[in-house]
Amino acid sequence: MAGKGFDLSGKVALVTGGNGGIGLGMAEGMAQAGCDLVIWGGNPDKNAAAEKKLSAYGRKVLVQKVNVADEAQVETAMAEALKKMGRIDGCFANAGVSQKRAVFHELSTEEWRRVLSVNLDGAFFTLRAAARHMVERSQNGDKAGGRLVGMASTAGVHGAARAESYAASKGAMLSLVRALAVGMARYGVTANSILPGWIETEMTAAGVADPKFSGNVLPRIPVRRWGQGSDFAGIATYIMSDTSQYHTGDSFVIDGAYTIF
């Protein structure tokens, strides 16, 4: 199987939050490698733009409007995706929101729950639905296995002051993925997490545009630039490929060496 290298022909990957930023970067990389795609996003205009861009690679693309924090929407969308695409070989739980900055003692319960509902509950609903399908395939004799991927963050391992709910959701993602790696191995399903550093996306747009913030952050990134969504194309393709079938329970840090500097 390893002889196929990074050829993803015949595979289907689902990417939540795949209509922009890191999610779209991963989706483009996989599409170029021959993968068909299911994209979940909440913004209809961004969904349409992503569908047009990804379809240009000649792959089958299904775009669905889904709020991952809504369990019913996740279950319905997954059922529709399986009906139309036939299978899901990899699931990237990438959808997420940032916290409205506040010191911890002024962080509202409402904001805490808003962030956790998307970043953690949404990932749980998504990965559980995908895992259910992958286990069923395995029990029916399909030896292809599967890939579960959780989008964490370096905030999950740093001291992310004024972003405690976001940090908590990403730290929990790391633990969830490690547990999945052990529990799902018997079904031929791997589980890994990705930890982005400072990436230029809609979520970080205000910081990137702030000269003071940029002046403080960029000198601490050894490669001296913001990360881009395209920087995640390679890791997504590797994880989805047959070459990674023995690589599970890992945490891939993609941050331009920020964490170790």
Coordinates of all heavy atoms in Angstrom, one line a residue, residues 79-142:
A79 N -24.9 12.0 7.1 CA -25.7 11.0 6.4 C -25.8 11.4 4.9 O -25.7 10.5 4.0 CB -27.1 10.9 7.0
E80 N -26.0 12.7 4.6 CA -26.1 13.1 3.3 C -24.8 13.0 2.5 O -24.8 12.5 1.4 CB -26.5 14.6 3.2 CG -26.7 15.2 1.8 CD -26.9 16.7 1.8 OE1 -27.0 17.3 2.8 OE2 -27.1 17.2 0.6
A81 N -23.7 13.3 3.2 CA -22.4 13.2 2.6 C -22.1 11.7 2.2 O -21.6 11.4 1.2 CB -21.3 13.7 3.5
L82 N -22.4 10.8 3.1 CA -22.2 9.4 2.9 C -23.0 8.9 1.7 O -22.6 8.0 0.9 CB -22.4 8.6 4.1 CG -21.4 8.8 5.3 CD1 -21.8 8.1 6.5 CD2 -20.0 8.3 4.8
K83 N -24.2 9.4 1.7 CA -25.1 9.0 0.6 C -24.6 9.4 -0.8 O -24.7 8.7 -1.8 CB -26.5 9.5 0.8 CG -27.6 9.1 -0.2 CD -29.0 9.6 0.1 CE -30.0 9.2 -0.9 NZ -31.3 9.7 -0.6
K84 N -24.1 10.7 -0.8 CA -23.7 11.2 -2.1 C -22.2 10.8 -2.5 O -21.9 10.7 -3.7 CB -23.8 12.8 -2.0 CG -25.2 13.2 -2.0 CD -25.3 14.7 -2.1 CE -26.8 15.2 -2.1 NZ -26.9 16.7 -2.2
M85 N -21.4 10.6 -1.5 CA -20.0 10.4 -1.8 C -19.6 8.9 -1.6 O -18.6 8.4 -2.1 CB -19.1 11.2 -0.9 CG -19.3 12.7 -0.9 SD -19.0 13.4 -2.6 CE -17.2 13.6 -2.5
G86 N -20.5 8.1 -0.9 CA -20.2 6.7 -0.7 C -19.4 6.3 0.5 O -19.6 5.3 1.1
R87 N -18.5 7.2 0.9 CA -17.6 6.9 2.0 C -16.9 8.1 2.5 O -16.8 9.1 1.7 CB -16.6 5.8 1.6 CG -15.6 6.3 0.5 CD -14.8 5.2 -0.1 NE -13.8 4.7 0.9 CZ -13.8 3.4 1.3 NH1 -14.6 2.5 0.8 NH2 -12.8 3.0 2.1
I88 N -16.4 8.1 3.7 CA -15.5 9.2 4.2 C -14.2 8.5 4.7 O -14.3 7.7 5.6 CB -16.1 10.0 5.3 CG1 -17.4 10.7 4.9 CG2 -15.1 11.0 5.9 CD1 -17.2 11.8 3.8
D89 N -13.1 8.7 4.1 CA -11.8 8.1 4.5 C -11.1 8.9 5.5 O -10.3 8.3 6.3 CB -10.9 7.9 3.2 CG -11.6 6.9 2.2 OD1 -11.6 5.7 2.5 OD2 -12.1 7.4 1.2
G90 N -11.3 10.2 5.5 CA -10.6 11.0 6.5 C -11.5 12.2 6.9 O -12.3 12.7 6.1
C91 N -11.4 12.5 8.2 CA -12.3 13.6 8.7 C -11.4 14.6 9.5 O -10.7 14.2 10.4 CB -13.3 13.0 9.7 SG -14.4 14.3 10.4
F92 N -11.3 15.8 9.0 CA -10.5 16.9 9.6 C -11.5 17.8 10.4 O -12.2 18.6 9.7 CB -9.8 17.6 8.5 CG -8.7 16.8 7.8 CD1 -9.0 15.8 6.9 CD2 -7.4 17.0 8.1 CE1 -8.1 15.1 6.3 CE2 -6.4 16.3 7.5 CZ -6.7 15.3 6.6
A93 N -11.5 17.7 11.7 CA -12.3 18.6 12.5 C -11.5 19.9 12.7 O -10.8 20.1 13.7 CB -12.6 17.9 13.9
N94 N -11.7 20.8 11.8 CA -11.0 22.0 11.7 C -11.8 23.3 12.1 O -11.2 24.3 12.4 CB -10.4 22.2 10.2 CG -9.9 23.6 10.0 OD1 -8.8 23.9 10.4 ND2 -10.6 24.3 9.2
A95 N -13.1 23.2 12.0 CA -13.9 24.4 12.3 C -13.6 24.9 13.7 O -13.5 24.1 14.7 CB -15.4 24.1 12.2
G96 N -13.5 26.2 13.9 CA -13.3 26.8 15.2 C -13.5 28.3 15.2 O -13.6 28.9 14.2
V97 N -13.7 28.8 16.5 CA -13.8 30.2 16.7 C -12.8 30.7 17.7 O -12.3 29.9 18.5 CB -15.3 30.5 17.2 CG1 -16.3 30.2 16.1 CG2 -15.6 29.8 18.4
S98 N -12.5 31.9 17.7 CA -11.6 32.5 18.7 C -12.5 33.1 19.9 O -13.7 33.3 19.8 CB -10.8 33.6 18.1 OG -11.6 34.6 17.6
Q99 N -11.8 33.3 21.0 CA -12.4 34.0 22.1 C -12.4 35.5 22.1 O -11.3 36.0 21.6 CB -11.8 33.5 23.4 CG -12.3 34.1 24.7 CD -11.5 33.8 25.9 OE1 -11.1 32.7 26.2 NE2 -11.1 34.9 26.7
K100 N -13.4 36.1 22.5 CA -13.3 37.6 22.6 C -12.4 37.9 23.8 O -12.7 37.4 24.9 CB -14.7 38.1 22.9 CG -15.7 37.9 21.8 CD -17.1 38.4 22.1 CE -18.1 38.2 21.0 NZ -19.5 38.6 21.3
R101 N -11.3 38.6 23.6 CA -10.3 38.8 24.6 C -10.9 39.4 25.9 O -11.6 40.4 25.9 CB -9.2 39.7 24.0 CG -8.4 39.0 22.9 CD -7.5 38.0 23.3 NE -6.9 37.2 22.2 CZ -5.8 36.5 22.3 NH1 -5.2 36.3 23.5 NH2 -5.4 35.8 21.3
A102 N -10.5 38.7 27.0 CA -10.9 39.2 28.3 C -10.0 38.6 29.4 O -9.6 37.4 29.2 CB -12.4 38.9 28.6
V103 N -9.8 39.3 30.4 CA -9.0 38.7 31.6 C -9.9 37.6 32.1 O -11.2 37.7 32.1 CB -8.7 39.7 32.6 CG1 -7.6 40.7 32.1 CG2 -9.9 40.5 33.1
F104 N -9.3 36.6 32.7 CA -10.0 35.4 33.1 C -11.2 35.7 34.1 O -12.3 35.2 34.0 CB -9.1 34.4 33.7 CG -9.7 33.1 34.1 CD1 -10.3 32.3 33.2 CD2 -9.8 32.7 35.5 CE1 -10.9 31.1 33.5 CE2 -10.5 31.6 35.8 CZ -11.0 30.7 34.9
H105 N -10.9 36.6 35.0 CA -12.0 36.8 36.0 C -13.1 37.6 35.5 O -14.1 37.8 36.2 CB -11.4 37.5 37.3 CG -10.6 38.8 37.0 ND1 -9.3 38.8 36.5 CD2 -11.0 40.1 37.1 CE1 -8.9 40.0 36.3 NE2 -9.9 40.8 36.7
E106 N -13.0 38.1 34.3 CA -14.1 38.8 33.6 C -14.7 38.0 32.4 O -15.5 38.5 31.7 CB -13.7 40.2 33.1 CG -13.3 41.1 34.3 CD -12.8 42.5 33.8 OE1 -12.7 42.7 32.6 OE2 -12.5 43.3 34.7
L107 N -14.2 36.8 32.2 CA -14.7 35.9 31.1 C -16.1 35.4 31.5 O -16.3 34.8 32.5 CB -13.7 34.7 30.9 CG -14.1 33.7 29.9 CD1 -14.2 34.3 28.5 CD2 -13.1 32.5 29.9
S108 N -17.0 35.7 30.6 CA -18.4 35.3 30.9 C -18.7 33.9 30.6 O -18.0 33.2 29.8 CB -19.4 36.2 30.0 OG -19.3 35.8 28.7
T109 N -19.6 33.3 31.3 CA -20.0 31.9 31.1 C -20.5 31.7 29.7 O -20.3 30.7 29.0 CB -21.1 31.5 32.1 OG1 -20.6 31.7 33.4 CG2 -21.5 30.1 31.9
E110 N -21.2 32.7 29.2 CA -21.8 32.7 27.8 C -20.7 32.6 26.8 O -20.7 31.8 25.8 CB -22.6 33.9 27.5 CG -23.2 34.0 26.1 CD -23.9 35.3 25.8 OE1 -23.7 36.3 26.5 OE2 -24.7 35.3 24.9
E111 N -19.6 33.4 27.0 CA -18.5 33.3 26.0 C -17.7 32.0 26.1 O -17.3 31.4 25.1 CB -17.5 34.5 26.3 CG -16.3 34.5 25.3 CD -16.6 34.7 23.9 OE1 -17.8 34.9 23.5 OE2 -15.7 34.8 23.0
W112 N -17.5 31.5 27.4 CA -16.9 30.2 27.6 C -17.6 29.1 26.8 O -17.0 28.3 26.1 CB -16.8 29.9 29.1 CG -16.4 28.5 29.4 CD1 -17.2 27.4 29.6 CD2 -15.1 28.1 29.7 NE1 -16.4 26.3 29.9 CE2 -15.1 26.7 30.0 CE3 -13.8 28.7 29.7 CZ2 -14.0 25.9 30.3 CZ3 -12.7 28.0 30.0 CH2 -12.8 26.6 30.3
R113 N -18.9 29.1 27.0 CA -19.7 28.0 26.3 C -19.8 28.2 24.8 O -19.9 27.2 24.1 CB -21.1 28.0 27.0 CG -21.1 27.5 28.4 CD -22.4 27.5 29.1 NE -22.4 26.9 30.4 CZ -23.3 27.0 31.3 NH1 -24.3 27.8 31.1 NH2 -23.1 26.4 32.5
R114 N -19.8 29.4 24.3 CA -19.8 29.7 22.9 C -18.6 29.1 22.2 O -18.7 28.4 21.2 CB -19.9 31.2 22.6 CG -20.0 31.5 21.1 CD -19.8 33.0 20.8 NE -18.5 33.5 21.1 CZ -17.5 33.4 20.2 NH1 -17.7 32.9 19.0 NH2 -16.3 33.9 20.5
V115 N -17.4 29.3 22.8 CA -16.2 28.8 22.2 C -16.1 27.3 22.3 O -15.8 26.6 21.4 CB -15.0 29.5 22.9 CG1 -13.7 28.8 22.5 CG2 -15.0 31.0 22.7
L116 N -16.4 26.8 23.5 CA -16.3 25.3 23.7 C -17.4 24.6 22.8 O -17.1 23.5 22.4 CB -16.5 24.9 25.1 CG -15.3 24.9 26.1 CD1 -14.4 23.7 25.7 CD2 -14.5 26.2 26.0
S117 N -18.5 25.2 22.6 CA -19.6 24.5 21.8 C -19.1 24.3 20.4 O -19.5 23.2 19.8 CB -20.9 25.4 21.8 OG -20.7 26.5 21.0
V118 N -18.3 25.2 19.8 CA -17.8 25.0 18.4 C -16.5 24.2 18.4 O -16.4 23.2 17.8 CB -17.6 26.3 17.7 CG1 -17.0 26.1 16.4 CG2 -18.9 27.1 17.6
N119 N -15.6 24.6 19.2 CA -14.2 24.1 19.2 C -14.1 22.7 19.7 O -13.3 21.9 19.2 CB -13.2 25.0 19.9 CG -13.1 26.3 19.2 OD1 -13.7 26.6 18.2 ND2 -12.2 27.1 19.7
L120 N -14.9 22.4 20.7 CA -14.8 21.0 21.4 C -16.0 20.2 21.1 O -15.9 19.1 20.6 CB -14.6 21.2 22.9 CG -14.2 19.9 23.6 CD1 -13.1 19.2 23.0 CD2 -14.0 20.2 25.1
D121 N -17.2 20.7 21.4 CA -18.4 19.9 21.1 C -18.5 19.6 19.6 O -18.9 18.5 19.2 CB -19.7 20.7 21.6 CG -19.7 20.8 23.1 OD1 -19.0 20.1 23.8 OD2 -20.6 21.6 23.6
G122 N -18.3 20.7 18.8 CA -18.4 20.5 17.4 C -17.4 19.5 16.9 O -17.8 18.6 16.0
A123 N -16.2 19.4 17.4 CA -15.2 18.4 17.0 C -15.7 17.1 17.4 O -15.5 16.1 16.7 CB -13.9 18.8 17.6
F124 N -16.2 17.0 18.6 CA -16.7 15.7 19.2 C -17.9 15.2 18.3 O -17.8 14.0 17.9 CB -17.2 15.9 20.6 CG -18.1 14.8 21.1 CD1 -17.7 13.5 21.2 CD2 -19.4 15.0 21.4 CE1 -18.5 12.4 21.6 CE2 -20.3 14.0 21.9 CZ -19.8 12.7 22.0
F125 N -18.8 16.0 18.0 CA -19.9 15.5 17.1 C -19.4 15.0 15.8 O -19.9 14.0 15.3 CB -20.9 16.7 16.9 CG -21.6 17.2 18.1 CD1 -22.0 18.5 18.3 CD2 -21.9 16.3 19.2 CE1 -22.6 19.0 19.4 CE2 -22.6 16.8 20.4 CZ -22.9 18.1 20.4
T126 N -18.5 15.8 15.2 CA -18.0 15.5 13.9 C -17.2 14.2 13.8 O -17.4 13.3 13.0 CB -17.2 16.7 13.3 OG1 -17.9 17.9 13.3 CG2 -16.6 16.4 11.9
L127 N -16.2 14.2 14.7 CA -15.3 13.0 14.8 C -16.1 11.7 15.2 O -15.8 10.6 14.6 CB -14.2 13.2 15.7 CG -13.2 14.3 15.3 CD1 -12.2 14.6 16.5 CD2 -12.4 13.9 14.1
R128 N -17.1 11.8 16.0 CA -17.9 10.7 16.4 C -18.7 10.2 15.2 O -18.7 8.9 15.0 CB -18.8 11.1 17.6 CG -19.7 9.9 18.0 CD -20.7 10.3 19.1 NE -21.6 11.3 18.7 CZ -22.6 11.8 19.4 NH1 -22.7 11.4 20.7 NH2 -23.4 12.8 19.0
A129 N -19.3 11.0 14.5 CA -20.1 10.6 13.3 C -19.2 9.9 12.3 O -19.5 8.9 11.7 CB -20.8 11.8 12.7
A130 N -18.0 10.5 12.1 CA -17.0 9.9 11.1 C -16.5 8.6 11.6 O -16.4 7.6 10.9 CB -15.9 10.8 10.9
A131 N -16.2 8.5 12.9 CA -15.7 7.2 13.5 C -16.7 6.1 13.4 O -16.4 5.0 13.1 CB -15.3 7.5 15.0
R132 N -18.0 6.5 13.6 CA -19.1 5.5 13.5 C -19.1 4.8 12.2 O -19.2 3.6 12.0 CB -20.4 6.1 13.8 CG -21.6 5.2 13.9 CD -22.9 6.0 14.1 NE -22.8 6.7 15.4 CZ -23.1 8.0 15.4 NH1 -23.3 8.7 14.3 NH2 -23.0 8.7 16.6
H133 N -18.9 5.7 11.1 CA -18.9 5.2 9.8 C -17.7 4.3 9.5 O -17.7 3.2 8.9 CB -18.9 6.3 8.8 CG -18.4 6.0 7.4 ND1 -19.1 5.2 6.5 CD2 -17.3 6.5 6.7 CE1 -18.4 5.1 5.4 NE2 -17.4 5.9 5.5
M134 N -16.5 4.7 10.0 CA -15.3 4.0 9.8 C -15.3 2.7 10.5 O -14.8 1.7 9.9 CB -14.1 4.9 10.2 CG -13.9 6.1 9.4 SD -12.6 7.2 10.1 CE -12.7 8.6 8.9
V135 N -15.8 2.6 11.7 CA -15.9 1.4 12.4 C -16.8 0.4 11.7 O -16.5 -0.8 11.6 CB -16.4 1.6 13.8 CG1 -16.8 0.3 14.5 CG2 -15.3 2.3 14.7
E136 N -18.0 0.9 11.2 CA -18.9 0.1 10.5 C -18.3 -0.5 9.2 O -18.4 -1.7 8.9 CB -20.1 0.9 10.1 CG -21.2 0.1 9.4 CD -22.4 0.9 9.0 OE1 -22.5 2.1 9.4 OE2 -23.3 0.4 8.3
R137 N -17.5 0.3 8.5 CA -16.8 -0.2 7.3 C -15.8 -1.3 7.7 O -15.7 -2.3 7.0 CB -16.0 1.0 6.7 CG -16.8 1.9 5.8 CD -16.0 2.5 4.7 NE -14.6 2.6 4.9 CZ -13.9 3.6 5.3 NH1 -14.5 4.8 5.5 NH2 -12.6 3.6 5.5
S138 N -15.1 -1.1 8.8 CA -14.1 -2.1 9.2 C -14.8 -3.4 9.6 O -14.3 -4.5 9.2 CB -13.3 -1.5 10.4 OG -12.5 -2.5 11.0
Q139 N -15.9 -3.3 10.3 CA -16.6 -4.5 10.7 C -17.2 -5.3 9.6 O -17.5 -6.5 9.7 CB -17.7 -4.1 11.8 CG -17.1 -3.7 13.1 CD -18.1 -3.2 14.1 OE1 -19.2 -2.7 13.7 NE2 -17.8 -3.2 15.4
N140 N -17.4 -4.5 8.5 CA -17.9 -5.2 7.2 C -16.8 -5.7 6.3 O -17.1 -6.0 5.2 CB -18.8 -4.2 6.5 CG -20.1 -3.9 7.2 OD1 -20.6 -4.8 8.0 ND2 -20.7 -2.8 7.0
G141 N -15.6 -5.6 6.8 CA -14.5 -6.2 6.0 C -13.7 -5.3 5.2 O -12.7 -5.7 4.5
D142 N -14.0 -3.9 5.3 CA -13.2 -2.9 4.6 C -11.9 -2.7 5.3 O -11.9 -2.2 6.5 CB -14.0 -1.6 4.5 CG -13.3 -0.6 3.5 OD1 -12.1 -0.6 3.4 OD2 -14.1 0.2 3.0

